[in-house]
């Protein structure tokens, strides 16, 4: 079977007509970021921002047209609304799906007030940080596992589209299965369901995401994944306070947010930015976790407050949020986190695992408070 080329695909797409302009989607300049690799095809169709829902049939038609071509293994088409109508700026989606993945249709961005992204999920918490490298993902993983250890049904969504770390941290390899060719089954390890863009793309794939692509990928990972019934979905947010964070904070009905910070003042300033972002969009901030709070020496078990201690706690008080707990900087945490055996499961009797469980338990109390307990399931339809 000869390799399908971009020209073949564009030729076929000339048969698809944009109902708004009456032109075919290729002549209308709507096809963006077309990629093919081993028969896996991905591209975006640029549409006016307010026409997303209306043009879903167009997306579907384009996807079906490409999927029907001989030599095409999968077709992933998303609608993107990068530019205001009339401007010429291009979106450049860079993530081509690979492997024998079935079709994974993209979804248009639903207008506010529409859509039910996660019907079986009772609560959603975001784990966020103002900047990278503070241990946000490690904390998200161990909180998720701490919640699971508490008997709750837990999912973990890696929203860190730019630097997905959940496959490695949760020790999961392989690709998610799709039984119906439309929705993906989440991966699972240590009793926690996991979804990450890292399952779909190779680590080396350069990812130059633009705002709408990020949004679309995040929404697919919620809507097109069979999360099933969950007590809580823990979302590992991308670091910082940019597009992806705002998307999550605004589009996902977050029950609350947990901010991870190191004790250094500069990190605390960043933490405050994250905090203010959630406050702006009316997401309750459950509190701050101080990570790498002190050094736990493996030789003598002694505690060294190398960054000074108590900064995050004081800062939390000053900002009027709760202090959820502290975690030491410890070789065992790093080693286990990086080899896919998080300390909460690999060494549950350790002090640090106990710290994580205590944090998870506090978080759970706050979830219960925020949702009025499980008997009154929260509304999770986007408002
Ligand atoms: P972020 O998500 O904020 O970028 P990560 O969770 O990826 O941060 O952590 C960055 C690095 O720091 C990883 O190598 C991780 O194993 C390590 N790390 C995180 N928390 C701790 C800790 N408490 N003790 C030791 N190493 C840690």
């Amino acid at each position: 079977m000869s390799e399908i080329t971009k020209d073949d695909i564009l030729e076929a797409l000339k048969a698809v007509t944009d109902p708004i302009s009456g032109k075919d989607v290729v002549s209308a300049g709507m096809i963006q970021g077309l990629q093919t690799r081993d028969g896996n095809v991905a591209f975006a169709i640029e549409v006016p921002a307010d026409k997303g829902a209306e043009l879903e049939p167009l997306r579907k038609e384009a996807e079906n047209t490409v999927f029907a071509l001989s030599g095409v293994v999968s077709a992933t088409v998303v609608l993107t609304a990068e530019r205001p109508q009339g401007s010429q700026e291009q979106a450049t989606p860079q993530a081509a799906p690979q492997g024998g993945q079935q079709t994974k249709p993209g979804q248009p961005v639903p207008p506010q007030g529409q859509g039910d992204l996660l019907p079986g999920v009772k609560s959603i918490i975001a784990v966020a940080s103002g900047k990278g490298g503070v241990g946000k993902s490690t904390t998200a993983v161990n909180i998720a596992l701490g919640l699971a250890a508490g008997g709750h049904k837990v999912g973990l969504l890696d929203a860190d589209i730019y630097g997905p770390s959940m496959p490695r941290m949760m020790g999961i390899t392989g690709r998610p299965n799709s039984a119906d060719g439309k929705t993906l089954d989440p991966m699972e390890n240590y009793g926690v369901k996991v979804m990450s863009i890292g399952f779909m793309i190779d680590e080396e794939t350069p990812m130059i995401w633009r705002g709408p692509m990020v949004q679309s990928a995040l929404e697919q990972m919620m809507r097109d994944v069979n999360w099933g019934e969950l007590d809580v979905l823990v979302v590992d947010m991308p670091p910082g306070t940019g597009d992806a964070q705002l998307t999550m904070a605004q589009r996902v009905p977050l029950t609350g947010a947990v901010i991870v910070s190191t004790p250094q003042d500069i990190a605390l300033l960043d933490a405050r930015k994250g905090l203010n972002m959630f406050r702006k969009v009316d997401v309750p901030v459950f509190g701050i976790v101080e990570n790498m709070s002190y050094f736990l020496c493996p030789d003598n078990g002694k505690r060294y407050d190398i960054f000074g201690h108590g900064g995050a706690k004081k800062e939390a008080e000053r900002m009027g949020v709760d202090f959820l707990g502290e975690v030491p900087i410890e070789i065992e945490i790093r080693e286990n986190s990086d080899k896919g055996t998080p300390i909460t499961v690999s060494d549950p009797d350790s002090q640090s695992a106990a710290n994580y469980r205590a944090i998870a338990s506090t978080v759970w109390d706050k979830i219960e408070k925020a949702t009025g307990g499980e008997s009154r399931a929260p509304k999770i339809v986007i408002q």
Side-chain angles (χ1 to χ4, degrees):
M1 195 162 48
S2 65
E3 175 88 22
I4 186 108
T5 66
K6 288 187 181 176
D7 285 344
D8 298 334
I9 293 158
L10 289 173
E11 198 50 47
L13 284 171
K14 285 186 187 159
V16 178
T17 305
D18 167 30
I20 294 176
S21 67
K23 290 190 199 155
D24 74 78
V25 289
V26 179
S27 314
M30 296 166 81
I31 305 300
Q32 308 287 345
L34 173 61
Q35 303 211 349
T36 74
R37 185 159 154 179
D38 303 332
N40 296 287
V41 181
F43 58 89
I45 303 179
E46 186 108 46
V47 299
D50 56 339
K51 296 281 194 287
E54 194 182 311
L55 291 175
E56 166 61 13
L58 176 72
R59 187 199 67 74
K60 194 83 211 153
E61 187 189 345
E63 195 168 76
N64 290 342
T65 302
V66 173
F67 193 52
L69 295 174
S70 125
V72 170
V73 180
S74 76
T76 303
V77 181
V78 296
L79 295 180
T80 179
E82 174 81 31
R83 60 188 158 97
Q85 213 165 350
S87 109
Q88 288 304 310
E89 203 194 333
Q90 293 200 339
T92 50
Q94 293 287 318
Q98 292 148 25
Q101 198 80 43
Q102 268 294 308
T103 324
K104 183 171 180 283
Q107 295 287 340
V109 175
Q112 292 284 336
Q114 187 190 314
D116 189 355
L117 288 177
L118 295 156
V121 179
K122 292 198 184 115
S123 64
I124 308 171
I125 60 160
V127 178
S129 65
K131 63 168 197 173
V134 301
K136 169 185 55 59
S137 299
T138 304
T139 308
V141 163
N142 284 291
I143 287 180
L145 292 167
L147 286 163
H152 308 296
K153 276 186 262 168
V154 183
L156 188 52
L157 171 62
D158 190 355
D160 196 343
I161 304 277
Y162 303 93
S165 49
M166 283 310 142
R168 177 175 44 89
M169 286 193 175
M170 286 294 285
I172 301 174
T173 52
R175 297 186 191 282
N177 196 34
S178 176
D180 59 3
K182 287 199 188 73
T183 55
L184 293 174
D185 295 332
M187 308 293 273
E188 190 164 341
N189 203 7
Y190 310 123
V192 168
K193 291 180 178 168
V194 187
M195 184 45 84
S196 167
I197 199 88
F199 296 136
M200 256 81 75
I201 47 157
D202 288 340
E203 263 184 54
E204 311 87 66
T205 307
M207 276 191 284
I208 307 162
W209 295 88
R210 303 283 289 269
M213 297 307 296
V214 171
Q215 184 156 318
S216 166
L218 287 174
E219 289 185 358
Q220 280 187 25
M221 286 201 294
M222 291 182 281
R223 193 197 321 257
D224 295 348
V225 171
N226 303 320
W227 288 105
E229 299 285 318
L230 292 180
D231 294 319
V232 50
L233 180 68
V234 177
V235 180
D236 181 24
M237 298 281 283
T241 46
D243 275 354
Q245 293 83 342
L246 263 178
T247 298
M248 293 300 291
Q250 287 177 317
R251 313 289 295 222
V252 181
L254 292 170
T255 314
V258 171
I259 312 273
V260 180
S261 178
T262 62
Q264 292 102 314
D265 274 346
I266 183 75
L268 289 169
L269 283 178
D270 283 320
R272 194 170 320 167
K273 270 194 241 153
L275 188 100
N276 287 338
M277 183 188 75
F278 286 114
R279 284 193 170 152
K280 233 182 260 162
V281 291
D282 286 332
V283 171
V285 175
F286 283 171
I288 292 184
V289 172
E290 187 181 37
N291 188 36
M292 310 193 196
S293 182
Y294 52 92
F295 174 59
L296 205 51
C297 180
D299 298 334
N300 57 14
K302 258 173 128 180
R303 163 183 183 140
Y304 295 91
D305 287 325
I306 44 181
F307 299 118
H309 182 241
K313 191 168 190 173
K314 263 194 229 121
E315 196 61 24
E317 275 164 21
R318 254 166 45 80
M319 291 187 284
V321 292
D322 286 354
F323 183 67
L324 298 174
E326 59 188 12
V327 179
I329 180 164
E330 200 187 358
I331 291 169
E332 212 195 331
I333 294 181
R334 196 203 59 74
E335 281 179 351
N336 282 298
S337 166
D338 293 348
K339 75 174 187 227
T341 54
I343 194 162
T344 316
V345 287
S346 61
D347 192 359
D349 297 331
S350 63
Q351 182 57 48
S352 296
N355 287 13
Y356 281 125
R357 281 195 303 272
I359 292 166
S361 161
T362 307
V363 167
W364 182 255
D365 289 346
K366 287 181 176 284
I367 290 172
E368 290 238 283
K369 232 189 196 163
T371 59
E374 285 186 275
S375 54
R376 255 180 51 213
K379 291 184 266 326
I380 65 160
V381 177
I382 296 180
Q383 295 302 313

